Amino acid sequence: MISKSKTIKSNSKGLFLLELIIAISIFSSASFFPLISFSKFVGSYLTYFYTVKTYQFLHFGRAWAIANDQDNHYEIQNTHNLNLYNQNQKILKTITFPPQLQISLNKNIGFKSSGNTKIAGTVTISSKNKTRKITVGIGYGKITIKD
C-alpha cells in the first residue's frame, strides 16, 4: 500500500505541471488579442493629443502676434512639421508630428498684430482611424476643434 500512495502523489505532481502549462498558454494567447485594439487606441490617442497641442499652438501664435505687434502665419514643412513664422519669414516655433499622423492646411493660417485673423483656414490631423479638424474663424481669430 505504501508504494501505491507514492505513485499517486508523483502522478498528481505531473498533472499539476501539465495544468500549469495549459493555463499559461491560455493566458498568453488571450493577452495577444488586446494588442490589436491597443494599436487603434494609440492612433486615436495620438490624434487627440496632437489636436490639443496644435490648438494651443494656434492660440500661442495669436497671443504672440498681439504681444509683439507683428503679423505671423503657419506653414507645413516636410509633411510633419507645422511652423510658425513672423512677418520676416523667421521660424518662431515648430511642432513635429509623428509619422503615424498626417497633417494638412487648406490655407497658410495667419494672425494680424491686433490678434484678428489675417488668413482663416483649417488644420486637419488624421490617423488611420480618426480625423480631427481645427478651424480658425474669419476676422476675430476664434479657434475651434471639430471631430
Side-chain angles (χ1 to χ4, degrees):
M1 287 235 184
I2 295 172
S3 63
K4 287 183 181 178
S5 65
K6 286 184 179 179
T7 310
I8 293 171
K9 285 184 179 179
S10 64
N11 285 343
S12 66
K13 287 182 183 177
L15 191 60
F16 176 73
L17 182 61
L18 181 62
E19 289 172 344
L20 184 63
I21 291 171
I22 291 172
I24 289 172
S25 65
I26 290 171
F27 286 127
S28 63
S29 64
S31 66
F32 172 73
F33 294 110
L35 292 177
I36 297 168
S37 63
F38 183 71
S39 64
K40 289 181 182 178
F41 171 75
V42 168
S44 192
Y45 173 76
L46 278 175
T47 307
Y48 175 76
F49 177 77
Y50 278 94
T51 299
V52 171
K53 192 170 183 176
T54 304
Y55 177 82
Q56 293 171 342
F57 189 45
L58 291 171
H59 272 289
F60 169 79
R62 184 172 185 263
W64 186 93
I66 295 168
N68 293 291
D69 199 30
Q70 288 187 31
D71 293 359
N72 63 26
H73 70 279
Y74 293 86
E75 291 181 13
I76 294 178
Q77 179 187 23
N78 301 330
T79 69
H80 288 290
N81 291 334
L82 180 61
N83 296 332
L84 172 61
Y85 293 89
N86 67 3
Q87 60 193 15
N88 300 325
Q89 294 299 317
K90 179 184 174 192
I91 297 175
L92 301 172
K93 196 169 180 181
T94 300
I95 293 181
T96 302
F97 291 82
Q100 297 94 330
L101 298 177
Q102 290 78 38
I103 180 172
S104 64
L105 283 170
N106 66 342
K107 297 179 185 175
N108 291 336
I109 297 169
F111 294 100
K112 295 179 184 177
S113 59
S114 63
N116 293 337
T117 308
K118 182 168 82 173
I119 306 168
T122 301
V123 180
T124 304
I125 301 170
S126 57
S127 65
K128 289 181 182 176
N129 57 346
K130 191 73 173 171
T131 299
R132 292 181 180 256
K133 295 182 178 187
I134 306 161
T135 303
V136 177
I138 298 171
Y140 50 89
K142 184 177 180 185
I143 304 168
T144 56
I145 298 175
K146 296 180 182 178
D147 286 333

